[in-house]
Amino acid sequence: MKAMRLIDIDGPSLDVIETIVERAVALSKGSEPLAQTHTIANVFFEPSTRTRVSFEMAATRLGLRVINLDGERSSMTKGESVLDTLATLHAMGVELAVLRHGHTGICHELSEQLPPSLGLINAGDGCGHHPTQALLDAATLTAKGVRLSEAKVVICGDLRHSRVARSNVALLKRLGVGEIGLAGPEALMPAPGSGFDGLRHYDNLDAALIDADVVMMLRVQKERMDESDGGLDLADYHLHWGLTTERLAKAKPECWVMHPGPMNRGVELSAQVADGPQSLILDQVRMSVFTRMAIFEALLS
Ligand code: ASP
């Protein structure tokens, strides 16, 4: 990995990936964090609850100094570029920026342009990548004792717009997962060549769920859709693709249910499933803090 950079799942070595996942699990079980003295900035140009707060909590628990910049209220509204904004923060002493932005590919572009002394973590770029979400999902499953090499993981929903799905597929492949199945309406399937090639695509969720150990449900990303995606009727979507208790019964009895949040109850999944005993949704949120601590440790130590 480039020093202090986490842009996508293909960047770090497998060794670094495994260290982050194992360290996140150890931290969740009470291992002492490695104290840090650096200054980091959370720079968010898109709405976020879980990612922004968990990065802040992770940094605080490590003793990092944290600057929070709300993109909507920054000088970007006066026309300043993201590159100039980050360079400005760096000149003031920020050593690593955690960036979320709606433009797909922006972190790859910036990574070429920024001074090497400024670290960068991609906290979600448009429809691109969300590597820290994939790492926290792997840590959540590892903490639950799931053996990925033997697991069938089904990813269901709006794959076309999902940076979470793209990063999860990349990570699960690198970790040697048993099988990945994709499910969702044809109109929301990923474009060829966008990181999902060669995976089995199911045209109905019931069939996809047979023998599944894990099902990751994705949010319907209305904000990233245009006319070409066709109008989406949410009630109809739930009828065909929503995870209900009856549907979940098709999977293995101990199949875990995941969702990166924010979830839409009654659309991607029913409230009973979201709050049920197989749901890991709040475990993912808890593990997000430990995983982001492990990522800061890996990049800054
Ligand atoms: N929170 C995740 C993301 O930022 C998933 C979502 O928004 O649907 O990509």
Side-chain angles (χ1 to χ4, degrees):
M1 155 164 43
K2 258 192 184 167
M4 300 214 303
R5 302 253 162 112
L6 176 61
I7 309 301
D8 61 30
I9 287 297
D10 293 328
S13 67
L14 187 56
D15 208 37
V16 169
I17 284 177
E18 286 172 348
T19 302
I20 290 171
V21 172
E22 281 160 24
R23 180 73 180 137
V25 175
L27 286 164
S28 75
K29 292 185 176 154
S31 186
E32 271 300 299
L34 300 177
Q36 308 284 333
T37 54
H38 302 271
T39 301
I40 68 120
N42 276 325
V43 184
F44 277 61
F45 291 98
E46 264 192 355
S48 171
T49 302
R50 278 150 286 271
T51 306
R52 202 194 62 72
V53 176
S54 64
F55 265 114
E56 183 169 353
M57 292 211 47
T60 309
R61 285 193 198 172
L62 293 171
L64 291 162
R65 280 183 297 263
V66 188
I67 309 296
N68 286 307
L69 185 70
D70 174 359
E72 312 286 290
R73 296 195 190 163
S74 71
S75 287
M76 287 278 299
T77 56
K78 299 180 187 170
E80 188 168 60
S81 69
V82 182
L83 180 61
D84 285 335
T85 303
L86 296 185
T88 300
L89 294 175
H90 191 37
M92 286 189 245
V94 166
E95 294 157 276
L96 184 147
V98 177
L99 179 69
R100 164 161 301 184
H101 198 282
H103 175 65
T104 305
I106 191 166
C107 288
H108 289 88
E109 291 161 22
L110 288 168
S111 196
E112 299 301 318
Q113 299 161 338
L114 287 168
S117 48
L118 178 61
L120 184 65
I121 296 178
N122 182 357
D125 64 308
C127 299
H129 301 264
H130 198 348
T132 67
Q133 176 74 45
L135 288 163
L136 77 88
D137 288 344
T140 305
L141 291 172
T142 305
K144 285 287 174 194
V146 174
R147 283 169 190 250
L148 285 173
S149 59
E150 291 160 23
K152 174 177 176 183
V153 178
V154 172
I155 309 181
C156 173
D158 182 359
L159 288 139
R160 178 178 292 266
H161 302 101
S162 180
R163 54 197 180 200
V164 171
R166 182 166 299 100
S167 288
N168 260 311
V169 164
L171 182 59
L172 289 167
K173 280 184 175 170
R174 291 198 70 184
L175 294 174
V177 71
E179 185 186 339
I180 303 174
L182 306 178
E186 200 49 48
L188 299 180
M189 280 300 106
S194 63
F196 297 86
D197 295 342
L199 299 176
R200 178 150 181 207
H201 172 201
Y202 294 87
D203 61 9
N204 75 81
L205 181 54
D206 298 67
L209 286 171
I210 292 168
D211 285 335
D213 300 275
V214 177
V215 54
M216 297 180 167
M217 302 304 293
L218 303 171
R219 184 172 64 86
V220 173
Q221 308 209 9
K222 281 226 154 199
E223 76 279 15
R224 299 196 206 284
M225 295 185 188
D226 54 31
E227 302 81 60
S228 66
D229 292 304
L232 195 73
D233 180 292
L234 296 182
D236 188 61
Y237 181 91
H238 183 66
L239 193 67
H240 291 100
W241 299 103
L243 188 61
T244 58
T245 310
E246 300 73 54
R247 280 215 167 103
L248 184 55
K250 303 265 185 327
K252 286 193 184 157
E254 66 282 11
C255 175
W256 293 116
V257 176
M258 305 179 89
H259 191 304
M263 63 178 155
N264 295 302
R265 289 167 183 259
V267 181
E268 298 102 41
L269 72 185
S270 68
Q272 287 94 320
V273 172
D275 301 329
Q278 287 163 262
S279 171
L280 288 183
I281 296 170
L282 289 177
D283 293 74
Q284 288 172 271
V285 177
R286 269 181 225 109
M287 283 307 286
S288 72
V289 178
F290 299 115
T291 307
R292 288 173 173 133
M293 288 169 76
I295 291 167
F296 281 134
E297 284 186 354
L299 296 189
L300 295 171
S301 295

